[in-house]
Amino acid sequence: MRDPLTLGFSPCPNDTFMFYPLVHGLVDTGGLCFNERLEDVETLNRLAVQGVLDVTKVSYAALGHIREEYGLLRAGSALGRGCGPLVVAREPFDLSTLRGKTIAIPGRYTTAHLLLRLFDPSLALFLEMPFHEIMDAVMTGRVDAGVIIHESRFTYRGFGLHELLDLGSWWEGETGLPIPLGGIVARRSLGGATITVIERALSAAVAYARDNPAAAARYIREHAQEMSPEVCAAHIGLYVNDFSKELGDEGERAIAELLRRAERAGVVPPSTLPLFAV
């Protein structure tokens, strides 16, 4: 039996919901086993940039930096409509005055940061911090504005913050495509046969999770202790969808367009390798 593969995903409800069947033996893994590592999205991005993990969730912005070593899987993505990052502030102000202001971002390699740079390349004053600290930084005046992701979409109004820009809506209006936030990648050196098994197992895990939504409830709550059940459910409902089981043609076009624009803007290096691992 081969050694376990290292598997990285976040403690966010959409990831724990999808990966629970895979790491708890509820779907056929073709004899593969996994040592999971749960980290916030930017930590996972940086681990992938360093080549630490065999299989991992990453932001699609990070994918642009790791395509030589990792290829994308067709299952497990967070991609859709009406689910993009939001730019928020303590008080509403005109977006034209955003230039010159300090903006909190959830990490250099996040899609949220990439989208903001594509929206306005002149923006340059960014402060990186864990995504769950951004709203507090905006509220206390440590930064002028912040880009929020994950469950913050559902809670920011309760903190008295105002939406300045929906980067997902901007992207959809610009391209007509869904917004690609994050996906699952595998180390290309694992080989086509192993990667195919992983991809099939992950697709089966997503299907199992959607067919048995209560199965992972305790596991999800263990990793989302500060999140209400209502926010957990809304989070899963927004980020786990048909694209999560199979990207399909539209999903692939959305990812390719994001990377094309990132290359054109000089944010990620070009690559001639195929997008997918197999």
Side-chain angles (χ1 to χ4, degrees), residues 80-84 115 119 165-180 250 254 257 261:
R81 300 181 187 275
C83 60
L115 288 170
F119 171 75
L165 172 66
D166 185 326
L167 285 163
S169 293
W170 169 77
W171 168 266
E172 291 172 39
E174 283 278 304
T175 67
L177 295 167
I179 176 68
E250 187 179 35
E257 180 63 14
R261 292 186 179 220

Side-chain angles (χ1 to χ4, degrees), residues 58 60 63 70-75 77 182-186 188 195 199 247 251-252 255 274-278:
V58 294
Y60 274 117
L63 175 59
Y70 290 92
L72 182 64
L73 302 186
R74 292 172 176 82
S77 280
I184 313 300
V185 297
R188 294 184 189 272
I195 294 171
E199 188 171 74
L247 279 169
E252 183 176 350
I255 297 160
L275 178 64
F276 292 104
V278 288

Side-chain angles (χ1 to χ4, degrees), residues 64 67 118 258-272:
R67 285 179 285 179
L118 294 177
L258 182 71
L259 294 175
R260 185 188 70 80
R261 292 186 179 220
E263 285 183 15
R264 189 175 64 188
V267 180
V268 303
S271 175
T272 58

